[in-house]
Amino acid sequence: MRKSDSLKGIRKVFNRDDPQMPIIIVLLIIVAVLSIILAIGLGPVSIAPGTVAQIIGSRIPFIENDILPTWTNVEENIVWGLRFPRVLLGMIVGASLSMTGVAMQALVRNHLADPFILGVSSGAAATATLGMLFGVFSFLGVYSLSISAFLGAAITIILVYTISRVRGRINITQLLLSGVALSMIMDAITRIITLSAPNALGLHNVTFWLSGSLAGTKWGYLTLPFVVIIICMVILLVNHRALNALLMGDETAGTLGFNVGRLQKILVLVSSLMAGTTIAVSGTIGFIGLMVPHFTRLLIGSDHKRVLPVCALIGGILVVWVDVAARLVIAPEELPLGILTAIFGGPIFIWLLKRNTGK
Amino acid sequence: MKLQVENLSFAYDHKPILEDISLNVTKGEFIGLIGPNGSGKSTILKNLYRALKPDSGEVKLDGRNLFRLSHKQAATQIGVVSQEDVLPFDFKVEEIVAMGRSPYKKIFDGDSQKDKEIVRNALACLGMEDMAKREFLHLSGGEKQRVLIARVIAQETDFLILDEPTNHLDIGYQLQIFDFVKHLNATVLTAIHDLNIAALYCDRIYVLKNGRIFKTGTPEEVLTPEIISDVYGIEADVRTHPITNKITITFLPHSINYN
């Protein structure tokens, strides 16, 4: 009896007709915070969630003096120096990839769009490797890596979009095939660059770009992707009506008063910015941008005003937990994160593809 | 004069699609565009709702150059139901209708009480109040088309451009949709596939052939056996129907013997 009551409660909050957005957002934020604390504690050396919370609390202004240190220096180093930035980066990367997925799906009007599937990640990785090994973009300073990844992402999105646009419409076959072809070309470029690399560092890095990982995250990695997702979230939310209208078709969006040409440029820019800055710090992590928006829409419908914040939170939580799995599965060794997301994301992609063509 | 089109020409890949099109629509008129497949009906309409840009010619809406208007301004004056692309994600009926309010929204505006009222009224207009929460993709073809009509009603424009709004619908829905549109008392320019439907609803008709306007006038003037034969290459018998007092056309295919 009680079980069916709680089920009804859940139905009432998560339904596509009239989802209770404030409750959903608060719930997801709570889950996100709990996930962060739990995930920090988990790894080859595990630390109790209470200790994790205390260590973090001791760094927060105003309450820092109320918390007495009961933990060891090693624990503090693991929590603050290693895992906290890593877990936070996981949140950011997950949110960023999910939002990139949403933006690209609106751009090409198809739910199969994802930065990994359409070769955008590979494009970003190729130019990032180029920048890293030869210093091609070193004149851009500290952000040279992110900016070079952004350029690669932008070039690939524009290429895929142009190739798959036939008579003003996106052709789904051309879209997926051009994505596959471009990601192969870009991966090949990445390999050529790393094999002809002037130093041995290259060999290590190519595996990072091709399989994705959050290992070795430093605090400094967080700033740029964080700033970028906040800005892009605002831009996308401000344009949520336009994004909804765009799903009705380019022409219809135009007749509803939107400047479609400008909107498409914004979407290309926003997607490449998020994909580029994310991939620069995490390598290519596939299928997050495909799966998360899809399940978000199943939960709360397609209105972008709701989809964007919810999918950012769900994406962040998902990547944090997949990263925990990556640390634990073959501990003390680590699995690359991108390999894990591919193992369960791949089948979901195939399922979506079958369902799509069945219609 | 609501809409005035003068000497409009449009080419696709250097192949002329429309040549020297001139037409006008007076306030309150119901104007039909007819013509065989590929004669340029949709292309004219796309040029008028700015999905395509004409190579030459002038389009004036209420005396103002249509192409000088901003996207938003145009959207508050012209409502369009085009031949739709397939919707990739499902929306609720009321969400689709609410999209008609977009041109009135500033960047940070939410949906106001007034918007919700307008959306409700638009749905009520089409007898769809109880379908507001239904999923669009699960509706039948006729219901989908009614939702799109509700969307242009919510857009509150007094000029409507419709591109074969009853394409693929069975006859019951065809009449229902045109009845709804007729009741709106708006100025309407619509492409119509079915000549009998055009004869029933239109005040005036433009007949297109090979991207040019072949003939224009009232249904009685335009839907004659000679013109139908010239444009469509078929024989037809045209009479005034005793009940409707409108033109009715019976097609006479070659394979059937007549007395």
Side-chain angles (χ1 to χ4, degrees):
Chain A
M1 197 58 209
R2 176 169 285 178
K3 199 180 168 194
S4 75
D5 275 355
S6 61
L7 210 71
K8 253 184 221 158
I10 293 171
R11 282 266 159 76
K12 201 169 169 219
V13 175
F14 290 95
N15 74 74
R16 293 161 67 169
D17 281 352
D18 205 6
Q20 307 288 309
M21 283 309 288
I23 304 181
I24 294 176
I25 296 285
V26 169
L27 248 151
L28 282 173
I29 289 176
I30 294 171
V31 174
V33 171
L34 287 178
S35 297
I36 289 173
I37 291 172
L38 288 174
I40 290 173
L42 292 168
V45 179
S46 56
I47 297 163
T51 318
V52 173
Q54 283 180 325
I55 295 174
I56 294 172
S58 72
R59 299 278 181 150
I60 297 173
F62 303 116
I63 61 166
E64 58 202 328
N65 299 326
D66 301 336
I67 298 168
L68 299 171
T70 56
W71 53 84
T72 64
N73 261 344
V74 179
E75 283 176 327
E76 169 139 10
N77 281 338
I78 289 177
V79 168
W80 194 256
L82 291 176
R83 295 216 190 120
F84 195 27
R86 175 175 182 159
V87 169
L88 281 183
L89 187 68
M91 279 306 281
I92 293 171
V93 163
S96 175
L97 290 173
S98 309
M99 276 157 53
T100 310
V102 171
M104 291 180 65
Q105 286 158 14
L107 177 70
V108 302
R109 303 186 60 242
N110 197 292
H111 62 215
L112 295 174
D114 162 276
F116 180 67
I117 293 163
L118 296 189
V120 176
S121 308
S122 303
T127 48
T129 333
L130 198 67
M132 200 145 110
L133 295 180
F134 297 102
V136 182
F137 302 101
S138 55
F139 63 93
L140 297 169
V142 245
Y143 297 120
S144 63
L145 190 64
S146 301
I147 293 171
S148 51
F150 157 70
L151 289 176
I155 292 168
T156 325
I157 292 183
I158 293 167
L159 280 175
V160 169
Y161 187 73
T162 326
I163 294 171
S164 53
R165 206 171 148 94
V166 182
R167 283 183 169 260
R169 267 165 217 216
I170 298 286
N171 177 303
I172 177 68
T173 316
Q174 303 229 8
L175 179 75
L176 293 179
L177 289 180
S178 60
V180 169
L182 275 170
S183 71
M184 283 175 172
I185 295 169
M186 292 301 184
D187 285 350
I189 292 174
T190 309
R191 279 170 205 271
I192 292 171
I193 296 167
T194 32
L195 287 177
S196 55
N199 53 37
L201 191 87
L203 276 176
H204 165 77
N205 282 314
V206 72
T207 36
F208 169 76
W209 292 117
L210 295 179
S211 50
S213 170
L214 297 174
T217 304
K218 300 187 183 75
W219 279 102
Y221 292 6
L222 300 177
T223 331
L224 186 66
F226 182 69
V227 171
V228 166
I229 59 166
I230 296 296
I231 293 172
C232 290
M233 173 70 100
V234 171
I235 295 176
L236 290 174
L237 276 179
V238 160
N239 284 298
H240 75 271
R241 281 177 217 280
L243 294 176
N244 290 345
L246 202 57
L247 296 182
M248 301 290 296
D250 295 358
E251 284 181 10
T252 305
T255 69
L256 290 171
F258 297 109
N259 185 340
V260 175
R262 194 181 67 193
L263 189 63
Q264 285 165 337
K265 287 188 194 100
I266 291 177
L267 286 176
V268 168
L269 189 70
V270 163
S271 314
S272 336
L273 265 177
M274 288 196 292
T277 48
T278 306
I279 288 153
V281 290
S282 71
T284 54
I285 299 172
F287 299 106
I288 297 293
L290 176 87
M291 294 184 286
V292 177
H294 182 74
F295 290 116
T296 305
R297 289 191 187 97
L298 284 182
L299 274 179
I300 53 148
S302 310
D303 186 351
H304 281 93
K305 193 181 180 179
R306 303 195 292 257
V307 167
L308 284 162
V310 172
C311 92
L313 284 165
I314 293 181
I317 294 166
L318 179 69
V319 168
V320 165
W321 286 107
V322 176
D323 186 46
V324 168
R327 290 202 293 267
L328 290 180
V329 172
I330 52 163
E333 289 294 304
E334 274 202 26
L335 269 178
L337 187 51
I339 288 177
L340 277 182
T341 59
I343 276 178
F344 63 89
I348 288 175
F349 172 70
I350 293 169
W351 171 66
L352 281 173
L353 190 65
K354 293 300 269 185
R355 226 179 53 132
N356 195 38
T357 43
K359 262 184 197 166
Chain B
M1 200 67 67
K2 189 75 197 166
L3 179 79
Q4 210 170 355
V5 181
E6 267 164 44
N7 312 108
L8 182 145
S9 296
F10 175 80
Y12 194 85
D13 282 346
H14 303 293
K15 194 176 148 246
I17 309 286
L18 300 177
E19 286 179 87
D20 205 23
I21 301 286
S22 294
L23 59 82
N24 54 67
V25 182
T26 315
K27 195 168 165 46
E29 270 190 314
F30 196 112
I31 304 293
L33 279 183
I34 62 171
N37 292 336
S39 59
K41 298 188 294 281
S42 287
T43 315
I44 290 190
L45 297 181
K46 280 176 206 256
N47 273 281
L48 298 184
Y49 62 77
R50 312 208 305 184
L52 296 173
K53 203 168 178 344
D55 298 318
S56 64
E58 231 182 17
V59 182
K60 281 184 177 164
L61 184 72
D62 292 321
R64 288 200 290 170
N65 185 341
L66 176 70
F67 293 92
R68 291 266 170 79
L69 299 181
S70 72
H71 288 81
K72 274 198 170 187
Q73 280 173 329
T76 57
Q77 318 223 354
I78 307 180
V80 180
V81 176
S82 56
Q83 293 188 17
E84 290 295 318
D85 293 319
V86 181
L87 189 62
F89 303 112
D90 216 345
F91 279 89
K92 276 180 290 166
V93 165
E94 61 180 4
E95 287 173 338
I96 302 241
V97 178
M99 287 180 193
R101 301 303 300 154
S102 313
Y104 300 97
K105 295 279 131 190
K106 297 207 187 71
I107 282 190
F108 295 106
D109 284 355
D111 294 324
S112 67
Q113 211 54 45
K114 189 186 155 215
D115 292 323
K116 287 180 184 152
E117 188 74 16
I118 290 170
V119 168
R120 249 198 314 275
N121 288 341
L123 281 168
C125 249
L126 298 177
M128 302 188 87
E129 306 94 318
D130 48 348
M131 291 197 185
K133 302 278 179 198
R134 294 269 297 276
E135 309 264 315
F136 182 75
L137 292 182
H138 291 84
L139 301 179
S140 72
E143 288 166 340
K144 280 183 189 162
Q145 211 60 21
R146 269 153 73 195
V147 172
L148 299 180
I149 302 277
R151 194 190 69 206
V152 286
I153 294 176
Q155 204 173 333
E156 294 189 319
T157 60
D158 55 359
F159 182 42
L160 300 181
I161 294 181
L162 314 174
D163 192 357
E164 298 192 17
T166 59
N167 214 3
H168 311 306
L169 297 185
D170 53 41
I171 186 69
Y173 281 124
Q174 291 193 30
L175 297 183
Q176 191 188 40
I177 296 280
F178 276 112
D179 280 343
F180 284 138
V181 174
K182 193 89 182 170
H183 277 143
L184 293 174
N185 289 324
T187 313
V188 177
L189 176 63
T190 174
I192 301 182
H193 203 66
D194 186 313
L195 301 186
N196 279 307
I197 297 260
L200 279 173
Y201 292 97
C202 294
D203 299 320
R204 281 193 300 125
I205 291 175
Y206 285 89
V207 186
L208 285 171
K209 189 185 174 186
N210 298 329
R212 287 173 172 276
I213 289 183
F214 184 78
K215 196 82 190 171
T216 168
T218 61
E220 290 76 11
E221 290 165 349
V222 158
L223 296 170
T224 62
E226 295 74 36
I227 293 175
I228 292 173
S229 167
D230 282 349
V231 174
Y232 292 92
I234 53 165
E235 302 296 314
D237 176 62
V238 179
R239 291 161 198 267
T240 306
H241 195 273
I243 299 177
T244 60
N245 272 326
K246 302 270 185 187
I247 293 277
T248 167
I249 300 152
T250 307
F251 303 111
L252 307 169
H254 295 300
S255 61
I256 298 173
N257 292 322
Y258 317 103
N259 295 322

